[in-house]
Amino acid sequence: MRFFVMFCCTVFSLSLWCGNVFAGNNIEFLDKELIHELNHGIYEVVTPKLEDDKITYARKLPFEKLDYVERKEKYHSIGTAFFINKKQLMTAEHVFDFIYFSLHKDFFIRDMDGEVYPVNKVYKCSNRRDMMIFDLKKYPEKITPLGFNRKVEIGDTVFSAGNALGEGISYRAGQVASFTPERAYGDWENIRFSSPASPGNSGGPLLNTEGEVVGLIVRKTQSENYNIAVPISELDNVGEQAEFHARNITVVIEGTSESLIKDWTYQVPLPATLAELTQKTQASLGTFYQRMRKELLEKVQVKDFPRSPRFRFYLRNQALIHGASFIMPDVNFRKWTVRSRRLEKEPLAAEQNVYHGPSEFFDMQAIIEKPEDIALKTFLESPKMILDTLFAAVPYFRYIGTDKVAVTSLGEPVKKDIWQDNLGRTWHSSLWYIPYGDHFLYTHCLPYPRGVICNVLDESTDVLGLDYFGTVQEGSDELVVGYEGSLDDWGEYLALGEKYLPAYFQQAEISHKEGQARIRLKDFQVDLQHPDITGASSLRLHLGYANDQLLAEDLVMLGLFPQKGRPASYVIRAYYEPSPFSSDAYTGTWEEAVSGTGDFSGKKIAKGNQVVIQKTVLPTVETIIDPNGRKIKKIFTVGCTYKSSTAEDKDVEQDCQRFFESVGFSGK
């Protein structure tokens, strides 16, 4: 009760204060009869709310929890328009926002009785001046066109008329406060006015006391009392073609100081339908982004991925990847690091898991394992099943007021694509629209032992016209993948064949029988007999970039784990001659590797709760040449790691020697 009293007193005091100010400034009010006439000239701009029957939910959507108007409303109220003659209306261009993609395609004006009238064609349009004139396919019975008055002065009483907060047409009084240059080039002076303007007022008229239009409302300020209208006289400067302009479009190399900034302009002949304007402007802007990105990449190609000498130096000692990680330069392209994210494990069944990165905005990397009874090829070719599996592990919510409901499926995607990156990996992309939020969800996935590994992106649809898919595909070259699965999983994975497998695995062979594993890769083969090897034994292949090719995958390390719990593991790893920027630790490791000393002496070395035996395969030393013409020495090592408890129970030296002898290197 105390709060209620204080609130009422505050409102009462504010009303008195406002009344005094109005009186002191001689602000007039519109005549009721005039308002009645104006109501036949000023309309809401609306677009239908979108739903998709393909989307399913964990429970019924609780629309009853919304406020009355919101739950009954069938349209989004997005702005205001007004008649300037018996056939044409005026609004702000940004109410329709032609340059950005949206799932909303149909637009209407709505009168105070709730009747809607579809928009037809556009006759004038300028996003520079934020002005647009259009007509309708069907008209109201009574229309009151608004007249113009190009004369307006500081101190004049004005009214912001329009669809404030999407709650219908209202009229609010204030004054012309000042004139300020338009922000981009100062080509005209905008009207700054104190009449309140709220979301939804955009495109509405700024009226004088006679109900004449002196300006077009285009922007509000946070306080809603120093708002912006374009003088109605600027309509005289809108040409016969639709004019689009975007200033300071910027493309950047993420994480660096490199960027490119340009202005874009484009014109479209008029009249044109909404669909024609949308398609042409978005195609032009998308092409512009594509060219800018290409220009920036050409500008930095000497120091950027994959040609940069510093990047090639990084390849001498690549990180081991679990799952997938992007490789990123620092701000000056001097140091390259892997942007790795820890994946959380979500068990779905005894033999099915989903591993995912942070999911606050549902942009993530995920390893999505197939159900036990589904073939890998079937899973890979069913994007709906893949996404449904991810949703079962990581909830994707739809918010209804303060409540949230889990989405169980988005149904089949609206678009599927198969494409290959420059590393020879075949990606499967799928696009789903989420109409209720004007969003989309996009996955691009690689086949993976026991499932798929995916990048999952949840974005507003406005980016789709900006060469979005081209940018995503281009960036896939900078994604490094580490593969892991059981020997049974690897058998099914390699059986996918050339159509699905990365170039590195095209000639690979992995097979097993009880007590024996056979592995054939580019540089070596393993034929290991071991009593603990079964179809459930785990094989991990960490891939990275080849040092002797501009863009190709190559093996960084192989890890074989015969038993669950990994009491013993067997490793094959390539080492490369250090670069001038390699760490002292790596340089020391290399010197021991090429000399067969220290950690690579072939002797047992206790490290914490493990016993490690590593050995250099000296005959594998070779000199390769990188794409920049530098000679690099390369050598392979083999090793075994045992838990200390395991080492006490078996002859690890003999066991490890058996592994060493099972490995044969190509041409050695």
Side-chain angles (χ1 to χ4, degrees), residues 332-443:
N332 296 310
F333 296 91
R334 292 175 184 161
K335 184 179 180 181
W336 294 79
T337 55
V338 168
R339 188 177 66 184
S340 185
R341 293 178 176 176
R342 189 170 70 89
L343 299 182
E344 299 285 342
K345 178 180 178 180
E346 302 287 348
L348 293 181
E351 297 296 331
Q352 184 188 18
N353 302 291
V354 170
Y355 302 84
H356 65 92
S359 56
E360 183 179 357
F361 301 106
F362 224 79
D363 284 1
M364 69 176 79
Q365 290 159 4
I367 298 172
I368 306 168
E369 294 183 349
K370 68 181 184 66
E372 189 69 19
D373 59 344
I374 299 295
L376 179 58
K377 185 173 182 290
T378 301
F379 190 64
L380 178 63
E381 293 178 343
S382 177
K384 177 183 182 299
M385 190 185 305
I386 290 171
L387 191 62
D388 289 355
T389 303
L390 180 61
F391 283 173
V394 187
Y396 184 81
F397 292 111
R398 177 172 179 177
Y399 290 84
I400 306 291
T402 58
D403 200 355
K404 61 183 181 181
V405 180
V407 175
T408 56
S409 179
L410 295 179
E412 294 294 340
V414 297
K415 179 181 178 182
K416 295 190 290 187
D417 192 16
I418 298 176
W419 49 276
Q420 194 170 79
D421 64 19
N422 291 311
L423 293 165
R425 301 178 299 198
T426 300
W427 294 84
H428 295 248
S429 295
S430 302
L431 173 69
W432 290 264
Y433 290 142
I434 305 172
Y436 60 81
D438 208 7
H439 266 234
F440 70 92
L441 199 145
Y442 180 66
T443 62

Side-chain angles (χ1 to χ4, degrees), residues 54 209 244 247 327 364 430 560 565 594 597 607 630:
K54 293 187 305 181
T209 55
F244 297 95
R247 188 165 178 256
I327 183 165
M364 69 176 79
S430 302
L560 177 62
V594 293
T597 61
K607 294 190 175 184
R630 291 184 175 84

